[in-house]
Amino acid sequence: LYLLSDVLYNDVMYNTSPLDETFSVYKDEFKTRMKKIFKSVASSITRIDPPPARVNVRTRVGKVLGTWAAWGLYPDESIQRWGEIVSDSGSLDDLEGFQEGAEAAAAVANGEEG
């Protein structure tokens, strides 16, 4: 998931198309596969033992999704659906780390951290 996030960040942030600022080589292609990716992540999380480690992994996934939300990478509805897939309760509101990831990404974008 971190590798995917890095590819998306670099694809969007370093867009080389002089004609279309919204052009992305990977973003749309990955979007068509995100549900499957997050179902796979959720399945992997359920197999993690001991159970407290699952919370740690879900928190990390939440941070990635929060970061994507802050970047405006995908529509909020899409990010919410993917978070619900991974969330233990089925609700993005209960996915630890989401808000933290969004705030950290916003701080970096505003030059507050680096």
Side-chain angles (χ1 to χ4, degrees):
L1 195 56
Y2 287 133
L3 178 59
L4 174 61
S5 188
D6 190 51
V7 168
L8 289 169
Y9 174 83
N10 285 295
D11 180 48
V12 172
M13 296 302 163
Y14 299 106
N15 174 359
T16 58
S17 173
L19 302 176
D20 185 358
E21 291 180 9
T22 63
F23 175 77
S24 169
V25 175
Y26 298 105
K27 188 173 96 169
D28 293 336
E29 191 65 33
F30 280 136
K31 185 177 181 186
T32 65
R33 293 168 169 78
M34 286 297 188
K35 184 175 181 180
K36 184 175 181 177
I37 290 169
F38 280 97
K39 282 186 174 186
S40 178
V41 168
S43 176
S44 296
I45 289 171
T46 61
R47 292 190 303 269
I48 294 173
D49 201 39
R54 294 179 197 150
V55 174
N56 185 6
V57 174
R58 282 193 181 96
T59 299
R60 291 169 186 254
V61 172
K63 287 180 183 179
V64 169
L65 288 170
T67 299
W68 290 0
W71 290 345
L73 194 59
Y74 290 110
D76 291 341
E77 299 81 25
S78 296
I79 291 174
Q80 179 160 349
R81 279 194 309 271
W82 302 329
E84 289 168 352
I85 290 169
V86 176
S87 173
D88 195 31
S89 69
S91 171
L92 182 62
D93 295 334
D94 295 332
L95 188 60
E96 296 291 327
F98 181 82
Q99 191 62 37
E100 184 181 342
E103 290 169 359
V108 169
N110 294 330
E112 297 169 14
E113 283 183 27

